[in-house]
Amino acid sequence: MLIGICAGKHEIADYLIQHQGFQLLELTSHQSSQTVTNESNDHLGLQASKIGKNGTTPSEFVFSTPESLLDFVTKRWQERWVTTDISDGETLDRFILRPFFLLVSVDAPVSLRWKRFSGRCSRRQLDPPDLEKFVLWNDRNLYEKDIGRVYLTDRAQVRLFNSSSSLEELHQSLQTLDLADEQRLRPNWDQYFMQLASLAAQRSNCMKRRVGCVLVRERRVISTGYNGTPRHLKNCNEGGCPRCNRGDGGGVGLSTCLCLHAEENALLEAGRERIREGAILYCDTCPCLTCTVKIAQVGISEVVYSQGYNMDDASATILESAGVRLRQFNPPSNGLIYLQA
């Protein structure tokens, strides 16, 4: 599902329809966004939403209410649908509860959006607004209390920044991105456990870096861990570890560090009896040598990590010798994504 203001949302919808088997869904009314667009575009004699719609293929699926659209999609959720007609928070609140719904926002530099908008006005033989008027209209659309679209864009799982200079470049970027990847809708097991590891990392008190770890067996969490000083000692971020608080570089003074690593905490929490054969360790960062030998000792079968570390090669050699599989986690990109070929 796409939202955006003169940023290329209709071109992206067209691409999904023409190249990835999507079908367009339309709403006949957009109650909450019309006040701003009408007031700010009286000089054009045409609603900005119609100016900005640059050739999106008309749909045979038109609905009078968000409820009827959502009911239709719910019964046919395994097919691919796209709409650009979400314009208010109340509608979004209903849609975003559904597990088959992905909210994608589209933005672009305001100067580029103004040029695109002016070009479309000229093609319709209308006088385009100057840049100042366009910026004022844009600000109202985004930030007007209760109806500003920034409320919608801030909740998007994927946020696209479309500075593409041509449709060909845009299409190449979208092909590489693959918005239709189903892993964006429902995390697979790797994504699920790695997100739990990232959540655990938020509890870290180490001054050097945040790291989280999750131990799993048969797709059930055995234990979690994050790095920081041991129980009953002053937290690292409160001065508990002199080495971390001195800001020593990587590999310097490791023998004086008082912080337990996330992997160590997870292993200690689980205990050898609970780990057993087949356990998988998920961690934000590839384990260091110290943690690697402990992982090998307790019988972990696989280590999955997201970010590299300066000891990756040495850790990989030890794990391979111990018969422990090591692989890096590469999820589909979400968050803010620059559309560049």
Side-chain angles (χ1 to χ4, degrees), residues 35-79:
T35 302
V36 174
T37 55
N38 285 341
E39 288 177 356
S40 58
N41 290 282
D42 285 342
H43 69 287
L44 296 176
L46 194 62
Q47 293 177 359
S49 59
K50 292 182 180 178
I51 291 278
K53 190 167 183 176
N54 193 28
T56 302
T57 305
S59 175
E60 60 180 296
F61 303 103
V62 181
F63 302 89
S64 59
T65 66
E67 290 80 7
S68 59
L69 186 155
L70 190 58
D71 181 64
F72 172 83
V73 175
T74 300
K75 296 172 182 176
R76 302 175 63 175
W77 68 271
Q78 291 181 312
E79 300 174 54

Side-chain angles (χ1 to χ4, degrees), residues 2-10 84 86 104-107 149 153:
L2 302 168
I3 56 178
I5 306 171
C6 302
K9 64 180 181 294
H10 296 294
T84 61
I86 295 179
V104 180
S105 70
V106 188
D107 202 357
R149 291 195 172 193
T153 59

Side-chain angles (χ1 to χ4, degrees), residues 163-180:
S163 58
S164 300
S165 58
S166 67
L167 281 179
E168 181 181 0
E169 182 180 295
L170 175 62
H171 289 178
Q172 290 176 357
S173 299
L174 291 170
Q175 183 178 7
T176 302
L177 179 61
D178 189 14
L179 278 172

Side-chain angles (χ1 to χ4, degrees), residues 19-40:
H19 298 281
Q20 296 196 346
F22 281 76
Q23 299 179 79
L24 182 66
L25 303 176
E26 291 187 298
L27 282 170
T28 56
S29 61
H30 317 290
Q31 300 120 353
S32 64
S33 65
Q34 290 305 309
T35 302
V36 174
T37 55
N38 285 341
E39 288 177 356
S40 58

